[in-house]
Amino acid sequence: MADLYSYDQCPSIAAFLGIMGVMSSIVFANVGAAYGTAKAGVGIMTSCIRNPELVWRNLIPIIMAGVNGIYGLITSIILMGAISPPGDDGYNKYSLYTGCAHLAAGLACGLSGLGSGMCI
């Protein structure tokens, strides 16, 4: 049992990497959503000055920017549920491979949300 959950395969830094994936997913996606909402809000105000009938049509980018933040939230909830605490025997069951995979998943989701928020 000690060989399966040894410190070499399941170090303590693995949980830190997983939590950083959760953090990067929610933070970057919501920063992108906030930036996209602000940029779309300026656009809707500019278009309302010229043509007030276009208000409802211009709400779509604001809603799409808010969905970016929701994607980051859902990804971080899924990743947080997969992070396991140490067992009763004191051995970590969360491997370094899984921690790095969760970091990569969080960065992929968060940075794509940031990029799409910048593009709105």
Side-chain angles (χ1 to χ4, degrees):
M1 184 81 165
D3 294 330
L4 183 61
Y5 300 120
S6 68
Y7 183 77
D8 294 334
Q9 293 178 355
C10 302
S12 300
I13 193 75
F16 174 74
L17 293 175
I19 296 294
M20 289 305 290
V22 170
M23 183 275 313
S24 62
S25 171
I26 198 163
V27 168
F28 288 144
N30 283 310
V31 166
Y35 184 80
T37 301
K39 198 171 176 184
V42 169
I44 197 170
M45 286 302 180
T46 304
S47 69
C48 286
I49 292 171
R50 294 182 185 158
N51 192 0
E53 290 84 25
L54 293 177
V55 172
W56 299 109
R57 187 174 297 169
N58 290 334
L59 282 177
I60 294 172
I62 294 175
I63 295 168
M64 298 287 281
V67 169
N68 283 338
I70 294 171
Y71 285 153
L73 177 68
I74 291 171
T75 304
S76 63
I77 289 172
I78 291 171
L79 291 178
M80 196 65 191
I83 296 174
S84 60
D88 292 334
D89 53 359
Y91 289 111
N92 288 330
K93 296 181 180 180
Y94 190 73
S95 69
L96 186 60
Y97 176 81
T98 309
C100 289
H102 288 165
L103 177 63
L107 283 172
C109 177
L111 292 177
S112 65
L114 180 65
S116 66
M118 296 285 187
C119 291
I120 290 179

